[in-house]
Amino acid sequence: MNATKEKGESLLNNKDFACGDGVRFILSALKENGEKAYTVGGCVRDTLLGREPNDWDICTSALPERTAGIFRSLGCGVIETGLKHGTVTVRYHGENYEVTTFRKDCTYSDNRHPDAVEFVSDIKEDISRRDFTINAMAYNSAGLIDPFNGRDDLQAGIIRCVGNPDERFEEDALRILRALRFAATYGFSI
């Protein structure tokens, strides 16, 4: 774990956070237009573990219509992927990047999907709805946001729910399988 920790430490000190040009472009464009923007979730987790992320999730304070407008004005292709859930896909140099408005989930009547989402203005409120502490981190050039100590759990090799585990699993029963998958993939304890 020490080699992973050291690699994660060096990436945290890297203002570019080892992300590609597309991610840097999107974060910068949103910031230059007065919005907050972060990489969030699994890409932050994987980067801290010294692994190459499979994809980069980006979240922002911009409402989806504003996100679409910003990137259209910059000549990017925009796909209105899931406006009611706050997601817009930005095409940059042939690659797709999902950009989602900060949100919180409402009730889960089917134990899998939120019945509705509410857009919020605070990144901490957005990441508080996530499943596990190791996925509840956000990063941009200002630094790491980690209100649930996900980085400590990564270093300790622990899968821990954000908040009350009974509530997290009641919201979405698939989280139980995700916990098992993460434990098997990373060799962590639940």
Side-chain angles (χ1 to χ4, degrees):
M1 192 59 119
N2 285 343
T4 299
K5 179 180 175 186
E6 290 170 13
K7 190 169 187 181
E9 291 284 344
S10 66
L11 289 172
L12 272 181
N13 295 326
N14 179 347
K15 290 296 183 189
D16 292 334
F17 200 57
C19 61
D21 291 340
V23 173
R24 281 194 296 276
F25 168 76
I26 291 168
L27 294 175
S28 294
L30 288 163
K31 183 178 178 183
E32 288 170 12
N33 280 276
E35 301 293 347
K36 297 173 189 161
Y38 300 86
T39 57
V40 67
C43 61
V44 177
R45 175 199 66 230
D46 289 347
T47 301
L48 288 171
L49 287 171
R51 295 172 177 238
E52 183 73 29
N54 291 330
D55 64 356
W56 290 87
D57 292 326
I58 301 165
C59 64
T60 181
S61 57
L63 293 174
E65 296 81 6
R66 174 142 168 78
T67 299
I70 289 169
F71 290 102
R72 281 188 180 118
S73 74
L74 294 170
C76 295
V78 173
I79 304 164
E80 296 178 352
T81 313
L83 294 183
K84 75 177 189 175
H85 291 105
T87 303
V88 172
T89 301
V90 175
R91 296 265 312 151
Y92 179 77
H93 291 275
E95 298 290 325
N96 290 340
Y97 298 90
E98 285 192 353
V99 181
T100 303
T101 303
F102 301 157
R103 65 187 191 194
K104 68 178 184 177
D105 298 337
C106 297
T107 59
Y108 286 75
S109 60
D110 69 355
N111 295 95
R112 177 68 187 108
H113 305 96
D115 297 327
V117 298
E118 181 181 323
F119 299 135
V120 296
S121 59
D122 181 25
I123 182 62
K124 291 178 184 171
E125 193 169 2
D126 179 89
I127 58 180
S128 70
R129 70 183 175 79
R130 296 179 184 269
D131 53 6
F132 307 112
T133 61
I134 62 171
N135 294 330
M137 296 179 282
Y139 185 85
N140 68 13
S141 62
L144 183 69
I145 298 188
D146 184 12
F148 302 103
N149 301 311
R151 183 175 174 188
D152 292 343
D153 287 348
L154 279 177
Q155 292 172 348
I158 297 172
I159 308 292
R160 183 188 323 267
C161 286
V162 172
N164 182 325
D166 291 334
E167 290 175 13
R168 291 286 90 88
F169 294 133
E170 190 173 305
E171 291 167 350
D172 183 349
L174 272 180
R175 289 176 172 163
I176 295 168
L177 296 177
R178 284 174 53 90
L180 294 170
R181 181 173 59 91
F182 287 136
T185 300
Y186 301 120
F188 286 5
S189 303
I190 298 176

